[in-house]
Amino acid sequence: MDTPPTTRPTVPDRPEHLEQSEEFRRLRRSFRGFAFPVTAGFILWYLLYVLLSSYAPGLMGAKLFGHVNVALLLGLLQFASTFSIAAWYARYADRHLDPPAAAIREGRTAEAPAAPGRADS
């Protein structure tokens, strides 16, 4: 025996008009304005480390103090920069991305009727 198809709400999860709205476009521009330059900068910083390790072993092996050389210091700075960028992004998102995203989300839920059988909390 065949089971009847399940009915889905008439309101799609991602309406096209949401993606076309000016608020959503502004939010995407804000995200890209932060993420793309920071990502490019980090990739260049990482490639510098790799290239120096490959083509400047004398420089990377130079001792700075004790048993710490340039390669070790730059490697540790890679970790420090990764965590710094993560903290920077979290702060940026809290201030510049989350408030508009919440406003867009609230606007969408206000427009969309509740699906049958679902209780709004």
Side-chain angles (χ1 to χ4, degrees), residues 94-112:
D94 282 344
R95 292 181 175 187
H96 300 282
L97 301 177
D98 292 345
I104 291 171
R105 189 172 27 256
E106 291 301 318
R108 183 192 179 289
T109 55
E111 291 174 6

Side-chain angles (χ1 to χ4, degrees), residues 37-99:
V38 172
T39 301
F42 183 78
I43 289 172
L44 290 174
W45 159 234
Y46 178 74
L47 287 176
L48 174 69
Y49 177 75
V50 171
L51 290 173
L52 286 174
S53 295
S54 298
Y55 296 108
L59 172 67
M60 296 297 272
K63 292 202 183 255
L64 298 174
F65 51 90
H67 294 289
V68 177
N69 61 13
V70 173
L72 180 61
L73 180 64
L74 291 179
L76 292 173
L77 287 174
Q78 289 285 321
F79 284 104
S81 64
T82 300
F83 291 116
S84 297
I85 289 170
W88 186 19
Y89 174 75
R91 185 175 175 157
Y92 180 84
D94 282 344
R95 292 181 175 187
H96 300 282
L97 301 177
D98 292 345

